[in-house]
């Protein structure tokens, strides 16, 4: 499990999988800081750890793309994100940027269970991603 970083605007990045083909720590930090100044730890994991965390904390027995914890931790499951990016015809970097922003917004209290909350969260994601030069992930093309 990630540990909480110290100091305002600090972003700790942990790689639990080989870094080849993954976003750089600088990119991950930039994406986090676009959405928040709070301290955040980002951990990129493999399928096994992603599944274990999802099973432990959400009682769902499969890996998911992103998990956010109230402690300021965001866990990204690389195999899931890679599959989704390919299936959706997105660049891996754009999909990671979206999921980092999405995870940070969860840390800031945004939710998407109700339609109105989802619309609010998605609009915020789109605005933040636009600042980063990332296209609207919800646009159908």
């Amino acid at each position: 499990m990630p540990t909480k970083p110290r100091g305002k605007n600090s972003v700790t990045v942990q790689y639990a999988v080989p870094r080849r083909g993954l976003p750089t720590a600088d990119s991950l930090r930039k994406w986090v800081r676009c959405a928040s100044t709070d301290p955040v730890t980002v951990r990129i994991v493999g399928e096994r750890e992603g599944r274990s965390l999802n099973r432990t904390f959400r009682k769902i027995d499969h890996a998911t793309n992103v998990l956010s914890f109230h402690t300021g931790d965001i866990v990204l499951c690389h195999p899931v994100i890679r599959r989704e990016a390919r299936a959706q015809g997105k660049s891996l970097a754009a999909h990671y940027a979206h999921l980092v922003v999405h995870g940070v917004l969860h840390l800031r209290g945004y939710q998407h269970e109700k339609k109105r909350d989802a619309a609010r969260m998605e609009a915020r994601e789109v605005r933040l991603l636009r600042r980063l030069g990332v296209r609207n992930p919800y646009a159908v093309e």
Side-chain angles (χ1 to χ4, degrees), residues 17-36:
V17 294
R19 293 183 186 197
R20 185 169 168 249
L22 296 178
T24 65
D26 286 343
S27 292
L28 293 162
R29 286 184 187 101
K30 178 174 82 170
W31 300 332
V32 168
R33 289 179 179 139
C34 177
S36 179

Side-chain angles (χ1 to χ4, degrees), residues 17-138:
V17 294
R19 293 183 186 197
R20 185 169 168 249
L22 296 178
T24 65
D26 286 343
S27 292
L28 293 162
R29 286 184 187 101
K30 178 174 82 170
W31 300 332
V32 168
R33 289 179 179 139
C34 177
S36 179
T37 58
D38 293 331
V40 173
T41 295
V42 175
R43 181 173 175 84
I44 300 178
V45 302
E47 193 97 23
R48 184 180 301 151
E49 186 175 345
R51 180 179 182 181
S52 175
L53 289 168
N54 205 26
R55 184 175 47 236
T56 300
F57 293 100
R58 296 180 64 221
K59 309 301 185 231
I60 299 173
D61 193 24
H62 62 83
T64 189
N65 52 17
V66 61
L67 293 167
S68 298
F69 297 91
H70 70 277
T71 55
D73 299 332
I74 297 172
V75 176
L76 300 157
C77 185
H78 179 66
V80 173
I81 294 169
R82 184 181 59 227
R83 284 193 302 269
E84 289 177 346
R86 283 182 185 153
Q88 296 170 20
K90 298 176 183 176
S91 75
L92 188 60
H95 198 40
Y96 261 99
H98 175 213
L99 293 173
V100 168
V101 167
H102 183 89
V104 170
L105 290 180
H106 274 306
L107 294 178
R108 294 182 58 198
Y110 285 79
Q111 296 299 322
H112 50 75
E113 280 69 39
K114 297 177 184 171
K115 258 187 181 179
R116 185 175 181 174
D117 293 339
R120 180 175 169 251
M121 185 173 184
E122 288 174 12
R124 184 73 178 137
E125 288 172 358
V126 169
R127 282 193 304 274
L128 292 168
L129 290 168
R130 189 178 311 126
R131 288 185 201 163
L132 294 167
V134 177
R135 294 167 63 174
N136 179 349
Y138 299 104

